Amino acid sequence: MIWGGIEGGGSKFVCAVGTGHHDIREEVRFPTTTPEETFRKACHFFDRMIAKYGSLKGLGIGSFGPVDLNPKSPKYGFITSTPKLAWRGVEFKGFFERRYGIDVSFDTDVNAAALAEGSWGAAKGLKNYVYLTIGTGVGGGGVVGGRLIHGLVHPEMGHVIIRRDKEKDPFEGACPFHKDCLEGMAAGPAIEKRWGIPGEDLSEDHEAWDLEADYIAQGLLPLLYVLSPHKIILGGGVMDQETLFPKVRKRFIHYLAGYIEHPAVKEGIDDYIVPPALGKKAGILGAFALAMGSYEL
Amino acid sequence: MIWGGIEGGGSKFVCAVGTGHHDIREEVRFPTTTPEETFRKACHFFDRMIAKYGSLKGLGIGSFGPVDLNPKSPKYGFITSTPKLAWRGVEFKGFFERRYGIDVSFDTDVNAAALAEGSWGAAKGLKNYVYLTIGTGVGGGGVVGGRLIHGLVHPEMGHVIIRRDKEKDPFEGACPFHKDCLEGMAAGPAIEKRWGIPGEDLSEDHEAWDLEADYIAQGLLPLLYVLSPHKIILGGGVMDQETLFPKVRKRFIHYLAGYIEHPAVKEGIDDYIVPPALGKKAGILGAFALAMGSYEL
């Protein structure tokens, strides 16, 4: 018997099966189009896998959001108020439960990735940490006391306030709700709009990266002040620019201004703000972690 | 047998004994002076209480911080890098454990107050909420998945970034570390320095309160975005100005800009941002909650 996982992102879906995190047998990826077409492709993959490997032991889904994670809600496991109109109000968890007659473990894509990093990656053994992804958007998942953060809805860490020096950076921000929140200033689309070039085409020594690091560092401050995590993991396409890490760490320490007396945020900073140990696999392995019930670490 | 509690604040200590939260038998309060004198007064009280009521079933301490809450640390239960020099490096938990031969449950004053509100107050039955106090300083405690937030250190919610319009408010901020963070702009000392009058002497319709509400609302944003709490409880001396509540709620909704789709932060806002149901008793009842092992809600 095998486990199944779906990394349901806003732009692409990854479906995989395997016997464990170290043994992904097969994987397929396709663009996120309409829910009907996307789900059909996912089912096509899992149908084939079940024919080949036998029935699924469990299925985990890490979904783009916002999603309803309240087990008492009639909309539990649905995608809710996404700007992707075709996906608004779509039942995600229930669809696959009925289709395969199994319980599906469902959470946000970032909570899933956080769970994978805690189970097998950079946060292994930690009870309190955060995973923040900076890509097309900015989103975060986190674990407190060994449990994923759920509440009224789920974390929306990308929308925290940051400060912008309007003279240094006249770009007004790309968030449709808040303009110059963290996501509005630091996600991929903001970089491209500000500089007229996508981030991946900006040279390593472009001034964009100092500004970017400054905004990201500001965005990490509330994570430290509110959650006091043992580690902050930064993933997502923007963080592929690896020169960002030392810059972010430096600005983060600058903004703390000596306030938190702990070696982790001083001499230990290189091991405090880190890339995901699972790299690009964090998302799909997160779906596996959900399926395998690593839910409580 | 009775429970004992110590609310160890930076300016005053409250010690109490009782059979439960609804039955505080005796209580004493005195200013926080040197650790020696302050602990002596506390012991004097508990010695008398034990002579009268019998031995303590348990003792809980909610302490001003920062404190070391890592059970594996040699400094577990100590006060750490406080600006109150006489208290720096003082062993708090261990002192009372040795003195009374019992296990002492120890946490921050704000985590204790949060626990009390979750056990018997405004957050009863909730697994995810925050208690923020705005007084001489700004500090917060919180519960996620039914557990108090602990991590690298403990939350320091008062130091989150807010935005200041320098033309509207030229006051540079009173935080010795960050100047114009939330605490630096919105705690009692900031109000007094900005207006030249202590907050309690400012009239209800003074312009100070609109500004104050704006800063507090900004400070609540990261709490929502990072923790997604079911409720935000605002205590502390500054919040005694009750006209602040409607103003804070209004600015909070303004800053969310429709982003979080949940009735709690729209039509339910009056029940979302609330005063502590236990009022001024939240602190000492928090110490009781710790003693009584309500630690996991």
Side-chain angles (χ1 to χ4, degrees), chain A residues 128 145 147 150 152 163 228, chain B residues 128 145 147 150 152 162 228:
Chain A
N128 191 320
R147 296 178 187 176
H150 293 151
L152 190 68
R163 285 177 181 162
S228 202
Chain B
N128 192 319
R147 297 178 186 176
H150 293 150
L152 190 69
I162 55 165
S228 202

Side-chain angles (χ1 to χ4, degrees), chain B residues 202-225:
Chain B
L202 289 171
S203 69
E204 204 179 289
D205 57 357
H206 194 284
E207 58 178 318
W209 303 119
D210 283 329
L211 190 69
E212 182 71 13
D214 186 85
Y215 291 147
I216 295 170
Q218 290 192 51
L220 302 188
L221 294 173
L223 304 184
L224 178 63
Y225 290 140

Side-chain angles (χ1 to χ4, degrees), chain A residues 24 41 81 91 102 108 115 155 160 162 167 194 198 261 290:
Chain A
I24 294 184
K41 285 185 183 171
S81 55
E91 188 181 11
I102 51 173
T108 61
L115 193 64
V160 293
I162 55 166
E167 291 186 16
R194 183 187 292 112
E261 284 278 345
L290 286 170

Side-chain angles (χ1 to χ4, degrees), chain A residues 81 128 145 147 150-156 159 162-163 177-178 180 225 227-229 255-257 259 261 296, chain B residues 81 128 145 147 150-156 159 162-163 177-178 180 225 227-229 255-257 259 261 296:
Chain A
S81 55
N128 191 320
R147 296 178 187 176
H150 293 151
L152 190 68
V153 279
H154 45 69
E156 288 287 357
H159 295 267
I162 55 166
R163 285 177 181 162
F177 293 90
H178 313 113
D180 56 359
Y225 289 140
L227 292 178
S228 202
Y255 282 118
L256 284 183
Y259 183 64
E261 284 278 345
E296 181 150 342
Chain B
S81 56
N128 192 319
R147 297 178 186 176
H150 293 150
L152 190 69
V153 279
H154 44 71
E156 289 286 358
H159 295 267
I162 55 165
R163 285 176 181 163
F177 293 91
H178 313 112
D180 56 0
Y225 290 140
L227 292 178
S228 202
Y255 283 118
L256 283 183
Y259 184 63
E261 284 278 343
E296 181 151 338

Side-chain angles (χ1 to χ4, degrees), chain B:
Chain B
M1 293 228 292
I2 48 165
W3 303 99
I6 300 176
E7 179 189 358
S11 50
K12 74 166 197 299
F13 263 54
V14 182
C15 300
V17 296
T19 61
H21 72 280
H22 52 281
D23 177 39
I24 294 185
R25 291 291 171 88
E26 300 197 31
E27 189 180 291
V28 68
R29 39 187 72 214
F30 43 87
T32 306
T33 55
T34 63
E36 296 71 25
E37 187 184 25
T38 312
F39 283 1
R40 194 171 58 240
K41 284 184 184 170
C43 290
H44 180 66
F45 170 76
F46 287 114
D47 289 348
R48 278 200 303 118
M49 292 303 103
I50 290 168
K52 190 165 172 185
Y53 297 103
S55 65
L56 294 175
K57 218 159 154 179
L59 177 65
I61 299 174
S63 173
F64 71 99
V67 292
D68 188 332
L69 296 179
N70 175 7
K72 292 175 190 159
S73 161
K75 297 283 181 192
Y76 179 43
F78 283 57
I79 292 179
T80 60
S81 56
T82 171
K84 296 172 77 76
L85 295 180
W87 286 85
R88 201 171 274 198
V90 164
E91 188 181 13
F92 200 158
K93 172 179 155 77
F95 176 87
F96 285 91
E97 286 188 331
R98 286 193 300 276
R99 185 70 173 70
Y100 293 106
I102 51 173
D103 282 339
V104 168
S105 186
F106 182 80
D107 216 306
T108 61
D109 45 5
V110 278
N111 259 347
L115 194 62
E117 286 291 329
S119 303
W120 310 302
K124 199 171 168 181
L126 300 180
K127 297 279 186 190
N128 192 319
Y129 62 90
V130 186
Y131 173 90
L132 193 75
T133 176
I134 303 155
T136 316
V138 178
V143 164
V144 170
R147 297 178 186 176
L148 286 170
I149 304 172
H150 293 150
L152 190 69
V153 279
H154 44 71
E156 289 286 358
M157 300 179 188
H159 295 267
V160 293
I161 283 179
I162 55 165
R163 285 176 181 163
R164 168 166 70 100
D165 179 336
K166 290 174 190 175
E167 289 186 16
K168 261 177 74 181
D169 182 15
F171 179 64
E172 289 199 332
C175 171
F177 293 91
H178 313 112
K179 284 196 170 175
D180 56 0
C181 62
L182 175 63
E183 176 170 300
M185 296 310 281
I191 298 174
E192 183 163 355
K193 276 187 195 157
R194 183 187 292 111
W195 304 105
I197 309 168
E200 59 263 39
D201 297 337
L202 289 171
S203 69
E204 204 179 289
D205 57 357
H206 194 284
E207 58 178 318
W209 303 119
D210 283 329
L211 190 69
E212 182 71 13
D214 186 85
Y215 291 147
I216 295 170
Q218 290 192 51
L220 302 188
L221 294 173
L223 304 184
L224 178 63
Y225 290 140
V226 176
L227 292 178
S228 202
H230 286 287
K231 207 175 277 278
I232 297 175
I233 303 164
L234 297 181
V238 170
M239 296 310 297
D240 286 346
Q241 178 52 262
E242 283 182 15
T243 49
L244 270 174
F245 278 93
K247 289 179 198 285
V248 168
R249 292 176 188 130
K250 197 173 160 194
R251 293 307 290 166
F252 182 73
I253 287 177
H254 164 79
Y255 283 118
L256 283 183
Y259 184 63
I260 303 284
E261 284 278 343
H262 195 287
V265 292
K266 291 178 181 170
E267 58 272 24
I269 195 73
D270 290 354
D271 197 39
Y272 188 70
I273 298 173
V274 299
L278 304 173
K280 300 293 176 201
K281 292 273 176 206
I284 188 65
L285 288 178
F288 270 69
L290 286 170
M292 295 164 73
S294 307
Y295 183 87
E296 181 151 338
L297 294 179

Side-chain angles (χ1 to χ4, degrees), chain A residues 157-176:
Chain A
M157 300 180 188
H159 295 267
V160 293
I161 282 179
I162 55 166
R163 285 177 181 162
R164 169 166 69 100
D165 179 336
K166 290 174 190 175
E167 291 186 16
K168 260 177 75 182
D169 182 14
F171 178 64
E172 288 199 332
C175 172

